[in-house]
Amino acid sequence: MILPKQRVRVMATLLLSTTLLTGCWDRTETNDVAFVLTSSADLEDDGRYRVTYMFPLPGSMGGASGGGGGTAGGKSYYIDSEVGTTFRDAVSKLQLRMSRRIFLSHRRTIVIGEKLAEAGITSLFDVLPRSPENRMTSYLIVTKGKGYDLLNADPKFERFPAEVIRELSKSRSAMPTTMKDVGMSLSFHSDPVMSYLEPRDSQIAKEPSHEIQFVGYGQFKGDKMVGIYKKKEASGLLWLRNQVKEQQLTFPIEEGNNITIAVIGGQTAITPKLLDDRVKFDIIVDARGAVREDLSDENLFNSKTLHKLETKFAEQIKVSILATIKQMQKEGTDSAQLGLMIWRTHPQQWNDQYSKDWEHYFKEAEFNIVVKASIPDTGVINHNVTKGGI
């Protein structure tokens, strides 16, 4: 039983303890922030930086009939942009006409315009990591022309262009490139790559839509873009980076009609060998494919024919790898991070000799490529059902 004096002491202690409790003085209400879906960064002709943001319109999120808020021509988002002497200067100017605080934690993609990418992206890696709202897992994308042109695309399948940009960047056929990936490459004095997208109008439609297309990967030398890996070169880069993705290869077994093989798996093992004055890389590729279309009239049940097809399949992969190596050596870019492999396996020799003039050693490097390809899946049917008897 608590005596009256003890009760007073307990009540006094409880009352005094409430003064130590913190309130919600720093709370942020949802209605007070403007969520950024995606953004772009560009370099203007006068040397200033342009920042462009895409914001969802809260009043339009419930559908076409949703009430309240602005509408921007029936769209559920709007885009605004500003220029400044620095990126933060541009953002500060943009904030002056925003009734809500710009909030970046939900941003998943950052688009970099071609001119800024060619001039150098070091400035981005000063402003982005300084704010905890900027996620290092956001995807970095480089695009043809201005970055804001990609944001102004009007794809039909998704409500926001930001969703298309994100899904293309991390699709099953693409190699995702995040801020973390690019930042680590630059910190190790390696050459990063980024997904390369561009706006593209749909075909045939009476009213073409403004879609977004995945093209390949931006080729960087340090922090500056010097080229683009497309088609064969983009495919070869995936093999060299051991990033086996979905892809289709179409080629003839002999002169004549083509056959299409889908890559369904595989891996690449690269072993560096350090010689007296040069470097040699042994590249062993194990690839597995499946027949997706056959217009060749060949009998794939025949073991000799299937072996011939597997040989052709292996040749196509080797050609793509050689095309990538040729483009890398031409520009002196180590997009496959081969120097990093030497550093991991021979750190002392790398630091003493190769790191000082790696571009020279890389351009003179030899490559021994062996591709082992198999096609375990020739499809559900063995031949075209319109040809031959039952």
Side-chain angles (χ1 to χ4, degrees), residues 221-380:
K221 186 173 184 179
D223 73 321
K224 297 178 175 62
M225 189 175 75
V226 295
I228 307 167
Y229 294 111
K230 298 180 179 180
K231 298 179 180 178
K232 288 189 300 182
E233 291 80 6
S235 175
L237 180 65
L238 294 177
W239 287 108
L240 287 170
R241 294 285 291 263
N242 198 23
Q243 296 276 342
V244 181
K245 301 292 182 178
E246 287 187 1
Q247 54 181 297
Q248 310 278 341
L249 302 178
T250 301
F251 54 89
I253 300 181
E254 299 289 353
E255 294 296 328
N257 293 327
N258 291 323
I259 189 168
T260 298
I261 305 295
V263 175
I264 59 175
Q267 61 182 2
T268 303
I270 302 178
T271 305
K273 293 182 178 180
L274 307 184
L275 307 177
D276 292 336
D277 58 346
R278 54 195 173 89
V279 181
K280 182 179 179 180
F281 292 94
D282 288 332
I283 302 174
I284 309 298
V285 177
D286 177 25
R288 299 187 304 279
V291 177
R292 289 292 179 255
E293 186 175 10
D294 180 12
L295 303 180
S296 66
D297 291 330
E298 296 284 351
N299 179 14
L300 299 183
F301 260 160
N302 186 294
S303 60
K304 290 184 179 180
T305 303
L306 184 58
H307 178 69
K308 186 191 301 182
L309 178 60
E310 291 173 338
T311 301
K312 284 281 187 179
F313 179 35
E315 288 175 357
Q316 295 296 313
I317 295 173
K318 185 174 181 179
V319 166
S320 65
I321 294 174
L322 287 171
T324 307
I325 292 172
K326 181 179 179 181
Q327 183 168 335
M328 287 194 299
Q329 289 184 319
K330 178 183 177 182
E331 299 293 344
T333 60
D334 185 8
S335 303
Q337 298 182 339
L338 299 175
L340 194 57
M341 294 180 187
I342 297 177
W343 174 75
R344 287 171 176 166
T345 54
H346 304 84
Q348 190 65 44
Q349 290 172 274
W350 170 261
N351 292 328
D352 293 343
Q353 180 180 357
Y354 297 100
S355 63
K356 301 171 184 176
D357 195 9
W358 174 234
E359 183 176 340
H360 167 74
Y361 285 107
F362 178 67
K363 286 186 175 182
E364 300 298 323
E366 298 179 16
F367 294 87
N368 175 41
I369 304 172
V370 177
V371 182
K372 304 173 184 178
S374 62
I375 303 177
D377 182 2
T378 58
V380 177

Side-chain angles (χ1 to χ4, degrees), residues 14-121:
L14 292 174
L15 290 173
L16 289 172
S17 64
T18 59
T19 62
L20 303 176
L21 299 176
T22 58
C24 298
W25 58 272
D26 61 343
R27 73 185 186 277
T28 301
E29 300 289 349
T30 304
N31 291 338
D32 295 333
V33 297
F35 295 100
V36 176
L37 295 173
T38 186
S39 67
S40 67
D42 288 292
L43 182 64
E44 297 291 281
D45 292 337
D46 60 3
R48 293 188 297 171
Y49 296 101
R50 176 175 293 278
V51 173
T52 306
Y53 286 150
M54 177 183 292
F55 304 97
L57 291 171
S60 302
M61 294 299 291
S65 60
T71 57
K75 295 180 180 179
S76 55
Y77 65 90
Y78 90 103
I79 297 171
D80 204 348
S81 181
E82 190 55 85
V83 295
T85 55
T86 66
F87 289 113
R88 289 302 306 174
D89 182 39
V91 174
S92 298
K93 291 179 180 179
L94 185 58
Q95 182 66 78
L96 292 176
R97 58 174 176 268
M98 298 288 297
S99 60
R100 304 185 180 197
R101 182 174 73 85
I102 296 173
F103 192 69
L104 299 168
S105 290
H106 289 266
R107 178 176 61 178
R108 292 294 179 269
T109 55
I110 301 172
V111 180
I112 301 172
E114 190 174 28
K115 187 171 182 177
L116 176 60
E118 292 174 347
I121 59 174

Side-chain angles (χ1 to χ4, degrees), residues 99-275:
S99 60
R100 304 185 180 197
R101 182 174 73 85
I102 296 173
F103 192 69
L104 299 168
S105 290
H106 289 266
R107 178 176 61 178
R108 292 294 179 269
T109 55
I110 301 172
V111 180
I112 301 172
E114 190 174 28
K115 187 171 182 177
L116 176 60
E118 292 174 347
I121 59 174
T122 298
S123 53
L124 275 176
F125 279 88
D126 184 86
V127 65
L128 293 176
R130 289 183 184 273
S131 172
E133 289 185 4
N134 292 306
R135 295 174 179 262
M136 296 302 288
T137 54
S138 298
Y139 298 110
L140 284 181
I141 295 100
V142 64
T143 185
K144 180 180 180 180
K146 296 294 185 180
Y148 54 76
D149 287 336
L150 198 69
L151 270 60
N152 277 296
D154 190 18
K156 298 302 181 183
F157 270 112
E158 306 293 347
R159 176 179 291 188
F160 306 111
E163 294 179 11
V164 179
I165 295 171
R166 183 187 69 247
E167 292 303 316
L168 287 175
S169 300
K170 68 181 186 71
S171 68
R172 290 180 295 180
S173 59
M175 177 174 59
T177 51
T178 64
M179 282 178 56
K180 179 181 177 181
D181 297 328
V182 176
M184 288 183 65
S185 293
L186 292 174
S187 65
F188 277 99
H189 303 287
S190 184
D191 298 312
V193 295
M194 289 184 201
S195 297
Y196 188 94
L197 308 180
E198 66 181 22
R200 177 75 180 271
D201 288 345
S202 63
Q203 300 183 20
I204 302 302
K206 186 176 180 180
E207 296 181 1
S209 58
H210 305 293
E211 302 294 332
I212 298 172
Q213 178 173 310
F214 178 87
V215 176
Y217 303 95
Q219 178 186 13
F220 281 75
K221 186 173 184 179
D223 73 321
K224 297 178 175 62
M225 189 175 75
V226 295
I228 307 167
Y229 294 111
K230 298 180 179 180
K231 298 179 180 178
K232 288 189 300 182
E233 291 80 6
S235 175
L237 180 65
L238 294 177
W239 287 108
L240 287 170
R241 294 285 291 263
N242 198 23
Q243 296 276 342
V244 181
K245 301 292 182 178
E246 287 187 1
Q247 54 181 297
Q248 310 278 341
L249 302 178
T250 301
F251 54 89
I253 300 181
E254 299 289 353
E255 294 296 328
N257 293 327
N258 291 323
I259 189 168
T260 298
I261 305 295
V263 175
I264 59 175
Q267 61 182 2
T268 303
I270 302 178
T271 305
K273 293 182 178 180
L274 307 184
L275 307 177

